[in-house]
Structure formats: C-alpha cells, structure tokens
Amino acid sequence: MSYLLCVIYVLFSVSGLTLIKIGSSQTIPEGICIPVIGLSVSKYTILGILCYGISFCLYLGVVSKFDLGIIIPILGGIVNILIVIISFLILKEKVTANMIFGAVIISIGIIIMNIGKK
C-alpha cells in the first residue's frame, strides 16, 4: 500500500505541474491574471493547483512511511524524468542532449540507491 501511495503522489505531482503550465500558457480574458507573477488563471491552472495540493498531502504520507534520505531523491528523480518526457510529448518543449543525459544519470542514481534493498 505504501508503494501505491508513492505512485499516486507522482501522478498527482506530474499532473499538477503539467496542468499549471498548460493553464498559464493560455490567453485569458482581461482581469483573470495574477499580476505580480504574471500567471493567467484558467480552469487548467485551478485544476493543476488542486492536483498539486493533493500531491503535497500525499507527500506528507510518503515521508512518514519511508526513510527520507531514500524516498525523496527517488521520487524527485522520477517526477523530474516524467516532467521532461511530458514537456516534450505534450507541451512540445525542446529537449536537449544535456537534459537526456541528466535523466540517464538520475535513473542510474535511482538504481544505485536501490541495489541491495530488501
């Protein structure tokens, strides 16, 4: 059950970030913008904030069930890799060779951190 919590956390975190990005990229009628940070507020932005808020609540559950020094780097790495993939596939953002190389290094780190775990 603890690992399912991790998967759900990752899904909500990645979904939230993606929806916030999609929502902030839309042209919104005048008056629906947060001027200090230049964020347009749309239904996608609100849904993204909701997903990201849920992911934070799940994060609290995750850190209570696992060793902090192990689970946070692993989940952070997984979220980062998924964001790079989604940025390329859904948001049509440019992915550089350095980004791919970094994702490979993160993946290797995740494997190394889990070698010998029972």
Side-chain angles (χ1 to χ4, degrees):
M1 187 64 176
S2 296
Y3 292 105
L4 180 60
L5 184 64
C6 291
V7 170
I8 296 169
Y9 159 75
V10 167
L11 292 175
F12 272 101
S13 184
V14 170
S15 298
L17 290 168
T18 304
L19 288 166
I20 290 169
K21 174 66 176 179
I22 290 170
S24 68
S25 300
Q26 293 182 333
T27 304
I28 305 297
E30 199 173 315
I32 309 176
C33 181
I34 301 172
V36 176
I37 57 175
L39 177 67
S40 299
V41 179
S42 72
K43 61 184 175 186
Y44 293 108
T45 308
I46 293 168
L47 185 58
I49 291 168
L50 179 64
C51 285
Y52 206 64
I54 291 169
S55 81
F56 177 74
C57 294
L58 294 167
Y59 181 84
L60 297 174
V62 167
V63 298
S64 70
K65 294 183 181 345
F66 294 93
D67 291 339
L68 194 60
I70 299 292
I71 198 65
I72 297 310
I74 291 171
L75 292 179
I78 293 169
V79 167
N80 286 331
I81 290 168
L82 289 175
I83 288 295
V84 169
I85 293 168
I86 286 175
S87 295
F88 177 72
L89 295 176
I90 295 176
L91 303 174
K92 306 299 182 201
E93 294 180 353
K94 183 179 177 184
V95 175
T96 65
N98 284 345
M99 293 169 74
I100 294 170
F101 183 65
V104 169
I105 291 172
I106 290 170
S107 300
I108 292 169
I110 291 170
I111 292 167
I112 291 171
M113 288 180 77
N114 285 292
I115 290 176
K117 276 183 65 178
K118 294 182 180 183

